[in-house]
Amino acid sequence: MAMVLDAFASYVQSMLTEMVTEEVHMLLGVGDEIDKMDVKLRDLKNFLADADRRNITDTSVQEWVAQLKRAMYEASDILDLCQLKAMERSPSTKDVGCFNPLLFCMRNPSHAHDIGTRIKALNKRLDTIKERSAAFSFINLGSYHDHNSKVQASHFGNKRRETSGVFDRSGVVGKKIEEDTRKLVEIMLTEKEGSTNNMVVAIVGVGGIGKTTLAQKVFNDETVKAEFDKTIWLSISKDFDEVELLRTIITLAGAVHRGEKALAVLQPILTTTLTGKKLFLVLDDVWSHGAWSDVLKTSLVNVVAHGTRVLVTTRDERVARGMKAVLPYHHVDKLQEEDAWLLLKKQIILSETDEREINMLKEIGVQIVAKCDGLPLAVKVMGGLLCQKDKKHREWEMVLDDSVWSNSGLPEELNHAVYLSYEDLSSSAKHCFLHYSLLPKTKVFASNQIVGMWISEGFLHGSSDDLEELGSKYYKELILRNLIEPNTNYVDQSVCNMHDVVRSFAQFLARDEALVAHSGETNIASKLSAHGFLRLSVESKASESEGLDWSSLQQQKTLRALISVGCINIKPGDSFVHFPSLRTLHIESAHVVVLLESLHELKHLRHLSLKNTDISSLPDSIGKMKLLQYISLKGCKQFVNLPHSLVKLGQLRYLNFSETSIEGIPKGFHALTNLRALLGFPAQVDGDWCSLEELGPLSQLKHLELDGLENITASSSAEKAKLADKVHLTHLSLNCGSILGDDGLIKEEDCVSEEEQQQIEQVFDELCPPPRLEYLDIRGYFGRRLPRWMMSSLDVSLKSLRILFIVDLACCTQLLGGLCQLPYLEYIQINRAPAIKRVGPEFLQLYHHHNPRPSQMVAAFPRLHELDFTGMVEWEEWEWEEQVQAFPVLHQLMLNSCKLKCLPPGLASQARALNKLIIYYVQGLISVENFPSLVELDLDENLDLERITNLPRLQKLTIEDCPKLKMLEGVPALQRLVLTDKDMETLPEYMGGINPSHLELHCSLALLASIAAGQSGPEWDKFSHVEHVKAYACEGENQKKWYVLYTADRYNLETNVSLSAFMSCGTLTSFEDTQTFESVFKMTRKTFSYICSLVMGPSMEDMNSYTFVDGRVMSLEDRVAIALKSLYSNEPRETLGSSVGVNDSTVLLVTEKFVDAVEDRAEHHLRWPDSSEMDKIKSRFEKIHNMHNCCGLICTTHIPFGPNCDLEKNESILVQLVIDPEMRFMDIWWGPISSMNQLGILHESHLFKECEKGAWLNGSKLEVALDGSEVGEYIIGDAGLPLLPWLLTPYQEEELSDSQAEFNRRHNAATTCAQKALARFKDTWKYLQGETSCPVNQKTLVTTIHACCYLHNIVIDMEDDAAMLSIEEPDDSDDDAVTSSAEEPEDLRQLANEDAVRARDMLSKYFLTTMSSESGASF
């Protein structure tokens, strides 16, 4: 990145001042030279601001500026080395300036002479540079902090941007701007409840995002014009003149200013003109709130009519705040891809011919607009560029590849938009902004990492105590100015993104000093060899073999910052010795062990980050790197050893060991008193010593993360950490190892004792933070109660708390009530708390502790904006009465993975600011209704959800995998609906009753094909009224492989689903009567069509690959017909092929392709039932066989392995199936019969494992006796299987009691169902009998078995009476079925489980007692 001269001169001067203070310059014998340098730098500094501006575009200045920069960099290197040598001789580890200069010079005369010589030479260079400056006529602007920015030295800022209320429709596309306009117009026309004042409304966004266009739309709205007496548009320049501003508004208001120049005269004229008028005033592009607060407000606020509105557009939220604009401010969103493409087309299209040509270039056009990242101004600029090009793919490709943004200079219009924001920054903030553009886009850099880099580079000037706060201030300023945008996936704006156009601008400014490269670029090596850079950022997604070689970087000897992310080829012998000036080193996700032995060569290094690398330790020589301020080893899983020499690094401000395997902290760690942030600090005990003791003296800590607190056995050790005394501490993380498993429940092997729970409670009680704490994160805590300092709203420890995370709260049974009155609490996340089943009124604690009178009622959680309940897997009830006041400003609520049966009444009635509701994986929730303020609703896998009603303001609705949802109504404002269900075969009926403007659909290929049919398709009436439809079906990993794009206006439907090829009737299926078709294909035409739709996607890849012998291309139906015939038949392929007119090889290929597609696409037809489905199965077993609470039948059979299979040699596959009463297969498992028998396959099966651990057959129990005895869910099997609590086999005793005989009778009758299912299966899919053409490859055979099982279920699922088809009774001697046999070795029989014996006995007695009330039934 480019040095900002003014800022870096300040940095060098501060180093010189320090030397003067310590009298180092006198002792070196160069006092006069140091003084001269100081004077020269001060003189130069007077016009460095102007030089900075002109350097961007004035080539005559650039060489002079480059010389000055090199001189300054050398000065900082010299002063660094001076400090470093002094520190090496000093035993102290304190801050800069601690050394004794006299001692230093006496012991280092040669070094002192060398420094003096270098400073003298540098002074001569500065003389020459200063003399040359006269030729450029620089303007003395002084410090950026002292001037008013009225002189525009760069041509970027020469012309004043002035706007008007005249609306240009050429810049408007898409529905979003229409929605935003409606929203803002509504605000302008609506009286705010309880407000008597006139209202200021703010539109905020980065330059070029479309703020002015949106304001123009509102300004020109007919209802607005009709509502207000006067509408006035004022374009406010950055350096506005107060007199001219007043004259302009007086003229626009219809009065005459008479040439007056005094504010005292002009303001009364304005007041008189607008008294009693209802005014709509737009202030566009405001840079300072003074235009309103100091000039216009005093003349208007008390005289205009009630209902007056002021609409302001600005890049800076602080302007909106200064004008007291209403919250929330309106942020302009980026353009969506399709809208950006439409805007680009608008800039280029001149005729219908043009439009046809440009539509052919859409694919590359979309890539071009992607570079604009949704910024309308950037799209327009690109449109202007493309207007000058031929409408040919190659021409547009050259524009795409040319990197116009960063190599050849930015278009002036775009320069102006971004440069104005840049130019308004202070010199230090400019440095920070330019540095941000170097960070790789694909990796996450948190604010504390970025600020650490800024400190290390010397961008922040101030007291050593305040550098982090100063860096945070600049970081927030970049956000407020919309130069970086907070990533909403992270709390507290801790992670941001930089707009691509803004990033390109910054990289353009830094192009001579910094290179941002990607390993895939072809010209990196030439760039590195042609130019010496000061900062290098390299990002690689390639493997090591394809990555950049470390040796290619080593010629960059002037580097001051190196950021490398991803694979880089480091070989033995590579080292750091080639980077003597390096200040910042960030290497992430690479193998760097080879480099460590040379790490100490980086004498100037301040910032060391080796994130996610393979290091296991740091070299002991790190103790020599006295200037180190920042070390991060986050994510280095192999890291275990910390050298003792680390305690010598007294400059350290930041240490991060998070996500490492660090085993110990060296004693003496407490000497690092300069530390501001310490993350991943391991809590450990060694005899009488505890690592937490080392924290006591670290009084400067602002951010602390403690790991492994379960290792602390005495609360007294925790007390020695003295957290309460750390008055600067704002961020605290307290972590124990989690005892929860992947399912969110306590792992059996990690259960904790009551004593351990009490112990951890006492330890946490002693870790009470100071009152300044803003951020608290507790993870893995397993006490039964939370720490005492969290449980009372009167406790001052958390009075400043804003953000709270509690993760893996294993044993607490209720949420604490002490939080509800914390005055600044904005965000809460509770993630995984399995012991909480109920959230009661204590969570909302409505009354002050000392005075419970209703008059003292205060809404609970008065400032909470976002609440996230995730992974509370046993939570069933949330008690919050309708009248109980709470969450008055709650904006977003997430409910994820719980069993909440209904949403509490208080949520709908009291959370009146609730804008977004997210509900994922909530079992039992039936409805979402009656939320008056809700704008966005996001639903995913809520399997019981049936209705969504009465959400009057809902605009965006996302529904994914909610199969029971049948009712959607009362959503008049709905704009965007996203529906996702990959198995969806028809659009929901509720589509006809709603009217969204946008529908995005992710569905099955079958449904997509129906939509692609348009007006002739069965779905037309459900979606034709929607203005824009985007529908997709996936293929493998590609979620949008197949698509339909529909626009209602000027009917347009685009699709890549070839209906003519795929949906035409096949030659082989053209039967005139239904009976013949069903006889041939053993299924209805409806079922056949469904199977075609299932395999349609994979078939599209090779549509033209298969033909009849006469050359005709097979349709999809033909291919499915041949495959089904092949699977039904045991005839040789040659015979089958000749009967349908294809080659035998084609029969094989078509069949294999079909089988693969069915196995891949129809898996959902064979799965273990959910609880509601299982209830139906149990009911059916009871009705048919009187087997109460029975869930299935288990049986095994063998399938031959190849056409010449020898059963005696065990050449077959053994298959285990679980079957429901309608002969569907519920579960399948297999193994080679040569190494598996009936008992063995059971024990190996997924069924056995899931049932043994209680994940399956864990539903409702059957009460079988008056004493309340119960029997759980079970399946039944034959006598060759073991008797288990969930697997009941028949009694084998010779003498059976009546109850046992009755049990066996019912058991035997039900077992017949399995035999019939197997008989039907084998009779249908003769391909598996191995007589002629069964697969000879085991993998292919298993795939075929699965496919046939899926098809078996599909036929039953699609045809209600299929299960009742007449099938010949199986012969008891059928050797295909593997049942209890004399050949089964006796030693394989299992001893009956006592619980299983008891369960079977109770059930048999229950059967006997219920005989009289039940009529026998047979299958």
Side-chain angles (χ1 to χ4, degrees), residues 1144-1292:
D1144 61 324
S1145 60
T1146 302
V1147 173
L1148 176 62
L1149 291 172
V1150 166
T1151 303
E1152 288 182 345
K1153 182 81 173 179
F1154 174 78
V1155 163
D1156 288 340
V1158 170
E1159 190 200 34
D1160 180 55
R1161 305 299 290 271
E1163 188 178 12
H1164 58 284
H1165 282 282
L1166 196 161
R1167 58 179 175 78
W1168 195 255
D1170 61 29
S1171 57
S1172 61
E1173 291 169 335
M1174 190 61 86
D1175 287 341
K1176 293 176 183 176
I1177 289 171
K1178 292 193 294 185
S1179 174
R1180 191 81 172 136
F1181 264 116
E1182 181 178 348
K1183 183 177 180 181
I1184 298 174
H1185 303 295
N1186 292 333
M1187 293 293 291
H1188 305 266
N1189 226 37
C1190 180
C1191 297
L1193 306 149
I1194 184 170
C1195 63
T1196 50
T1197 187
H1198 63 72
I1199 303 294
F1201 191 171
N1204 300 312
C1205 169
D1206 187 341
L1207 295 181
E1208 292 183 1
K1209 292 183 180 180
N1210 294 327
E1211 293 178 350
S1212 63
I1213 294 287
L1214 188 63
V1215 180
Q1216 174 184 284
L1217 296 160
V1218 181
I1219 303 171
D1220 76 7
E1222 294 182 342
M1223 299 199 297
R1224 291 180 183 87
F1225 299 144
M1226 300 158 56
D1227 184 62
I1228 182 173
W1229 197 259
W1230 67 274
I1233 203 166
S1234 58
S1235 60
M1236 196 79 68
N1237 57 26
Q1238 185 182 22
L1239 191 58
I1241 195 172
L1242 172 67
H1243 281 280
E1244 288 292 323
S1245 69
H1246 185 62
L1247 168 77
F1248 185 86
K1249 293 169 184 174
E1250 292 298 303
C1251 292
E1252 283 294 294
K1253 71 180 183 182
W1256 287 1
L1257 300 178
N1258 59 0
S1260 58
K1261 296 184 177 182
L1262 173 69
E1263 187 174 324
V1264 293
L1266 295 176
D1267 63 1
S1269 298
E1270 294 179 323
V1271 172
E1273 292 180 338
Y1274 61 91
I1275 59 177
I1276 60 174
D1278 63 42
L1281 294 169
L1283 177 63
L1284 300 169
W1286 50 268
L1287 173 54
L1288 301 186
T1289 59
Y1291 290 97
Q1292 295 298 299

Side-chain angles (χ1 to χ4, degrees), residues 165-268:
V166 178
F167 181 52
D168 177 13
R169 292 194 172 275
S170 67
V172 177
V173 292
K175 292 295 180 183
K176 186 64 173 66
I177 192 170
E178 304 294 342
E179 295 169 16
D180 289 350
T181 302
R182 282 196 296 271
K183 180 178 178 181
L184 286 169
V185 168
E186 182 182 346
I187 293 172
M188 297 303 154
L189 303 181
T190 304
E191 296 295 329
K192 193 172 182 182
E193 187 178 343
S195 173
T196 57
N197 299 323
N198 299 310
M199 193 188 304
V200 178
V201 178
I203 301 174
V204 180
V206 69
I209 195 71
K211 302 183 297 295
T212 298
T213 302
L214 177 57
Q216 288 170 334
K217 281 274 290 177
V218 176
F219 186 76
N220 286 279
D221 187 87
E222 293 299 328
T223 55
V224 169
K225 289 181 177 180
E227 180 69 19
F228 294 94
D229 302 322
K230 284 284 183 182
T231 58
I232 296 176
W233 180 285
L234 288 177
S235 179
I236 311 295
S237 63
K238 183 178 175 185
D239 54 346
F240 70 90
D241 180 276
E242 294 177 348
V243 170
E244 284 303 314
L245 181 61
L246 281 170
R247 285 179 169 183
T248 301
I249 190 172
I250 287 169
T251 301
L252 293 173
V256 179
H257 57 71
R258 300 188 296 275
E260 297 291 348
K261 296 182 179 180
L263 298 183
V265 177
L266 291 170
Q267 285 177 329

Side-chain angles (χ1 to χ4, degrees), residues 1070-1125:
S1070 301
F1071 298 103
E1072 292 184 3
D1073 63 296
T1074 300
Q1075 188 175 357
T1076 304
F1077 182 93
E1078 293 179 1
S1079 173
V1080 170
F1081 292 107
K1082 304 183 181 181
M1083 63 182 66
T1084 64
R1085 186 173 285 279
K1086 176 185 175 185
T1087 304
F1088 182 88
S1089 297
Y1090 172 70
I1091 293 171
C1092 289
S1093 72
L1094 273 179
V1095 300
M1096 183 186 295
S1099 301
M1100 285 187 173
E1101 300 292 348
D1102 54 4
M1103 188 56 222
N1104 297 317
S1105 301
Y1106 303 104
T1107 60
F1108 293 98
V1109 290
D1110 60 7
R1112 288 177 297 117
V1113 174
M1114 293 183 194
S1115 72
L1116 175 63
E1117 286 197 358
D1118 287 330
R1119 292 167 61 172
V1120 172
I1122 290 173
L1124 288 173
K1125 281 174 172 285

Side-chain angles (χ1 to χ4, degrees), residues 69-131:
K69 286 180 177 180
R70 285 194 290 271
M72 287 190 180
Y73 282 131
E74 185 174 348
S76 68
D77 283 350
I78 293 170
L79 300 177
D80 246 12
L81 289 173
C82 180
Q83 176 191 339
L84 188 61
K85 285 296 181 183
M87 292 172 70
E88 286 176 357
R89 293 292 180 179
S90 171
S92 171
T93 58
K94 301 247 187 246
D95 233 344
V96 180
C98 65
F99 56 89
N100 183 314
L102 181 59
L103 182 64
F104 163 69
C105 291
M106 288 175 63
R107 291 182 177 178
N108 297 271
S110 62
H111 186 69
H113 179 265
D114 178 57
I115 290 175
T117 302
R118 291 178 67 179
I119 292 177
K120 287 179 183 178
L122 186 60
N123 252 348
K124 289 182 180 179
R125 288 171 60 189
L126 287 173
D127 276 334
T128 303
I129 291 169
K130 186 168 183 258
E131 288 171 7

Side-chain angles (χ1 to χ4, degrees), residues 25 135 137 220 311 404 551 565-566 694 729 757 786 821 855 897 939 1093 1118 1142 1158 1204 1254 1258 1309-1310 1369:
H25 64 306
S137 303
N220 286 279
L311 179 63
V404 61
S551 57
V565 170
E694 300 286 344
L729 193 67
Q757 290 178 334
L786 283 163
Q821 294 300 330
S855 61
S897 302
L939 305 166
S1093 72
D1118 287 330
V1142 299
V1158 170
N1204 300 312
N1258 59 0
E1369 286 286 342

Side-chain angles (χ1 to χ4, degrees), residues 1023-1083:
F1023 75 86
S1024 58
H1025 60 289
V1026 180
E1027 292 181 34
H1028 299 279
V1029 177
K1030 296 179 180 180
Y1032 304 98
C1034 68
E1035 181 63 48
E1037 296 298 317
N1038 188 344
Q1039 300 300 308
K1040 296 184 178 181
K1041 171 72 174 179
W1042 311 111
Y1043 65 84
V1044 174
L1045 306 177
Y1046 164 75
T1047 305
D1049 185 28
R1050 299 181 183 178
Y1051 174 86
N1052 182 52
L1053 192 147
E1054 300 175 29
T1055 182
N1056 63 349
V1057 178
S1058 176
L1059 295 175
S1060 60
F1062 285 90
M1063 301 312 291
S1064 59
C1065 285
T1067 304
L1068 304 178
T1069 57
S1070 301
F1071 298 103
E1072 292 184 3
D1073 63 296
T1074 300
Q1075 188 175 357
T1076 304
F1077 182 93
E1078 293 179 1
S1079 173
V1080 170
F1081 292 107
K1082 304 183 181 181
M1083 63 182 66

